[in-house]
Amino acid sequence: MAKSTFHSICLLIVFFTSFLITDAAHFGPLKNHVALFIFGDSLFDAGNNNYINTTFKANYKPYGETFFHYPTGRFSDGRLIPDFIAEYAKLPLIPPYLQPGIYHQLTNGVNFASSGAGALAETRRGIVIDLQTQLGYFENVSRQLRKKLGDAEAESLLSRAVYLFSVGGNDYLFPFEINSTVLRSYSPEQFVGLVIGNITAVVKEIYKTGGRKFGFVNMLPISCVPYSKALLGGGQCFEQITPYVELHNKELPKSLQKLERELKGFKYSLLPFYTFLEQRINHPSKYGFKEAKAACCGSGPFRGIFSCGGKRGVKEYYLCQNPSEYVFFDSIHLTERAYQQFAKPSWNGKPTLSGSYSLKALFESN
């Protein structure tokens, strides 16, 4: 009897020890774990558009040639800003939401961004994943996390997570591309108000789900990218779009400061992508580049025709030998080297435009 009792006690000890080890292995790493959720457009899209019916894809060569050595769906020769931020935060590459089999990786975060997408549902409707739909995908992920981790652990993870945004540029570019009359119906102030209003509405919904820490890049100088100069500006910067870009960059900080006042615990960082890119376009050699007017890959003036890879109607295109010498990889998007130059100081907090947090500080804050 004594032996049987002793044996039973040993089995119980082994069982509970095993349970505790399993429990620690499952929950221990999540105690201070910070996930990264990514929203927006082609500056951040890691491959969601590979899985939808659209021409806005980068799943063919030469995209991806520098780092991955194969095309991933990223509009660059290599990694994008969120890829570097994930690396600095000691996270793996954050997978696109539509990539099959990601549900075992949800605790590290998910990328919802879609190339060509805007904050407005009308921007390229039907061929991109607009910001509101991206929000719906995030809400689905939050439900999956609650199922997997339980409510308390999921809420804790969502409140520690960082939510990174790059969106709005397509909303301003698209009406000019199709010669839409929509801009005649609104003043620039009204139209920019619609775009920023949609962005802040999504931020508020994420806040309701538990999100507290947000990072934003401001609008790049769209008027002077190779695409705009070649196809819209007749060889010059396309200045008609500039009032919208300038207003966006003026109003977004005000909206974020308002959210900070209204939403308890709301923290943010706003990163100066406009100044960063303008400096490199105007003074490329100062930052180690040889070419900032023309793209590495494309055709036509400044290689501004969006033909890199020959899969978008125009089959002929030029490809440079060394993308790291260029600021732009294709007619709109930057090279991995340029993205890395932006990501590194953004992580360390130099420079930041607004908000009291660098991205590193956001990840480390409670």
Side-chain angles (χ1 to χ4, degrees):
M1 183 72 181
K3 276 188 178 181
S4 176
T5 304
F6 177 76
H7 182 68
S8 297
I9 291 169
C10 286
L11 283 175
L12 283 170
I13 290 170
V14 169
F15 172 76
F16 282 113
T17 303
S18 174
F19 175 81
L20 289 169
I21 291 170
T22 303
D23 190 62
H26 187 67
F27 292 108
L30 295 182
K31 185 177 180 183
N32 297 306
H33 183 72
V34 181
L36 177 60
F37 294 101
I38 300 157
F39 300 81
D41 52 31
S42 56
L43 294 183
F44 284 5
D45 183 4
N48 278 308
N49 279 23
N50 293 350
Y51 305 99
I52 65 173
N53 185 18
T54 182
T55 57
F56 286 92
K57 294 185 181 185
N59 59 346
Y60 47 84
K61 294 180 179 180
Y63 290 109
E65 65 172 20
T66 297
F67 179 78
F68 300 99
H69 307 298
Y70 63 90
T72 63
R74 291 167 173 82
F75 274 97
S76 184
D77 59 306
R79 291 164 290 181
L80 308 179
I81 294 164
D83 298 322
F84 289 109
I85 300 305
E87 177 188 327
Y88 304 150
K90 296 181 171 55
L91 292 168
L93 290 172
I94 305 302
Y97 174 78
L98 294 179
Q99 178 180 299
I102 69 158
Y103 280 99
H104 67 286
Q105 306 174 59
L106 296 180
T107 52
N108 289 320
V110 182
N111 188 323
F112 306 100
S114 169
S115 300
L120 304 178
E122 295 81 6
T123 299
R124 302 196 177 95
R125 188 194 295 272
I127 59 170
V128 298
I129 306 162
D130 66 85
L131 187 59
Q132 192 66 37
T133 304
Q134 293 179 34
L135 171 65
Y137 289 166
F138 165 72
E139 289 171 340
N140 182 47
V141 165
S142 71
R143 287 191 291 270
Q144 294 292 331
L145 285 169
R146 290 174 194 280
K147 280 185 187 177
K148 181 178 180 181
L149 304 174
D151 286 345
E153 186 69 22
E155 285 169 17
S156 179
L157 184 140
L158 292 169
S159 69
R160 289 192 308 271
V162 171
Y163 302 84
L164 198 59
F165 283 77
S166 166
V167 70
N170 289 300
D171 296 303
Y172 304 127
L173 192 57
F174 181 61
F176 289 106
E177 289 177 335
I178 63 170
N179 199 23
S180 169
T181 59
V182 69
L183 296 181
R184 297 175 202 164
S185 305
Y186 300 94
S187 68
E189 290 80 5
Q190 289 172 326
F191 192 74
V192 169
L194 287 175
V195 172
I196 291 180
N198 277 26
I199 295 170
T200 55
V202 167
V203 168
K204 286 179 179 178
E205 289 302 314
I206 294 171
Y207 179 89
K208 286 179 187 175
T209 311
R212 294 295 181 269
K213 303 187 288 186
F214 296 82
F216 304 85
V217 295
N218 75 346
M219 196 56 53
L220 71 160
I222 305 170
S223 61
C224 291
V225 303
Y227 174 84
S228 297
K229 290 192 294 183
L231 296 185
L232 300 173
Q236 304 297 319
C237 292
F238 181 60
E239 296 300 349
Q240 283 177 262
I241 203 170
T242 300
Y244 296 91
V245 172
E246 290 179 346
L247 270 170
H248 182 99
N249 287 344
K250 179 183 173 185
E251 295 302 322
L252 182 59
K254 294 179 184 178
S255 295
L256 296 177
Q257 287 159 10
K258 186 169 183 242
L259 289 174
E260 189 175 38
R261 290 191 301 269
E262 293 175 351
L263 305 178
K264 184 180 178 181
F266 177 85
K267 304 171 184 177
Y268 74 94
S269 180
L270 178 57
L271 307 165
F273 201 40
Y274 185 99
T275 303
F276 166 87
L277 190 50
E278 185 180 53
Q279 288 170 341
R280 280 150 186 80
I281 289 172
N282 294 333
H283 308 287
S285 60
K286 182 178 177 181
Y287 301 97
F289 296 100
K290 290 186 178 179
E291 179 58 67
K293 307 293 186 195
C296 166
C297 185
S299 56
F302 309 104
R303 291 173 209 129
I305 295 174
F306 198 17
S307 60
C308 184
K311 303 284 188 181
R312 292 173 53 84
V314 179
K315 292 187 177 181
E316 299 297 322
Y317 67 95
Y318 172 88
L319 177 64
C320 70
Q321 288 189 333
N322 187 358
S324 68
E325 296 177 349
Y326 286 71
V327 173
F328 292 96
F329 182 66
D330 67 15
S331 58
I332 299 175
H333 309 99
L334 276 56
T335 57
E336 178 183 83
R337 185 175 182 221
Y339 283 135
Q340 185 173 26
Q341 282 192 7
F342 181 74
K344 190 71 173 174
S346 296
W347 174 257
N348 291 323
K350 298 176 185 176
T352 55
L353 258 181
S354 176
S356 27
Y357 294 86
S358 67
L359 287 178
K360 183 180 180 183
L362 277 183
F363 272 88
E364 292 175 349
S365 67
N366 293 320

